[in-house]
Amino acid sequence: MRTMPANSSATPFGPADFQLVLLRRMADHNPGLVEDARRELGASDAEMREANRRWQAMVRSPRSRSAASRYRSILGTPQTIRRTIGDLECEALLWPVPLWPDLRFEVLLAPTGAVWNEWLIRAPGAPGPALRTLADLTPWSCTVDEAARAFPPARPLEGSAPTRWGLALSVPEREGGEPRPCVAEFTWGLLQRVGPAGRS
């Protein structure tokens, strides 16, 4: 296990700190998974809270650099791919996330350079999960796009925070069964939980 130094304002904010920020937003839904992942990073709960505090301060600072520049300074040089959305061609910046080796953190840029979206996606070329029934939709098993493709038609729902998304899906409890409406909740693009439709 790698030991993280105690966070302070004098310590550069790096990839390990950013992973703690991702985990902090997931802790409300899956505290057990988050605790295991935090220990894998060699960080304490206090260090996770401090990383999140520093991240929020950077994002909200009136002198803050652009979101794309901030990610580059924290995560390093990204893999860059072109992505077509509707009639627009845009740039996608991808960074590895050691906690989830098959995923990448994606920042999608508009033609103007503004950030359209920031979330976790499946790494290019990595096999996605087999999603057929409700039992397959376990926490951290899939991304927003994967769930939407597996159970069409999926309807986007407004999330409870900027980094959260929801999908209204119809999913069978067993293969060949009758699909039932449910709501899948995601944080930073990664599935956190699934509940019956209508749950607040």
Side-chain angles (χ1 to χ4, degrees):
M1 177 186 295
R2 181 176 56 80
T3 302
M4 286 185 59
N7 283 319
S8 72
S9 57
T11 305
F13 195 97
D17 299 283
F18 182 66
Q19 289 179 95
L20 291 175
V21 171
L22 298 180
L23 291 175
R24 181 67 183 86
R25 298 297 281 175
M26 299 177 188
D28 292 342
H29 293 323
N30 294 294
L33 286 174
V34 166
E35 183 177 359
D36 290 343
R38 174 177 57 74
R39 288 175 176 168
E40 184 178 333
L41 288 174
S44 67
D45 188 58
E47 287 173 323
M48 182 170 70
R49 291 195 304 270
E50 174 64 9
N52 191 66
R53 184 197 67 76
R54 292 178 66 194
W55 172 258
Q56 294 299 328
M58 282 190 289
V59 170
R60 296 171 182 171
S61 170
R63 300 184 303 276
S64 177
R65 67 187 77 192
S66 72
S69 295
R70 183 169 59 247
Y71 283 122
R72 287 178 187 272
S73 69
I74 291 170
L75 301 176
T77 303
Q79 175 189 1
T80 303
I81 61 175
R82 304 300 296 179
R83 187 79 55 83
T84 301
I85 300 179
D87 296 330
L88 293 177
E89 186 177 87
C90 56
E91 187 176 40
L93 311 179
L94 305 180
W95 287 272
V97 188
L99 278 174
W100 298 284
D102 288 343
L103 300 181
R104 295 292 181 269
F105 186 75
E106 178 188 69
V107 173
L108 198 61
L109 301 181
T112 61
V115 171
W116 268 347
N117 201 20
E118 310 153 84
W119 63 4
L120 294 164
I121 65 166
R122 191 68 51 186
L131 303 176
R132 300 186 184 91
T133 69
L134 198 58
D136 297 322
L137 293 174
T138 56
W140 298 8
S141 63
C142 65
T143 65
V144 172
D145 284 349
E146 289 169 338
R149 288 195 303 266
F151 303 106
R155 180 168 56 88
L157 302 172
E158 185 175 352
S160 58
T163 59
R164 292 180 177 170
W165 292 263
L167 284 180
L169 304 170
S170 291
V171 183
E173 291 189 4
R174 62 183 186 281
E175 290 199 48
E178 185 70 22
R180 297 188 178 185
C182 63
V183 172
E185 298 177 60
F186 301 81
T187 299
W188 290 106
L190 191 61
L191 179 65
Q192 301 299 309
R193 65 181 180 183
V194 179
R199 183 176 71 182
S200 58

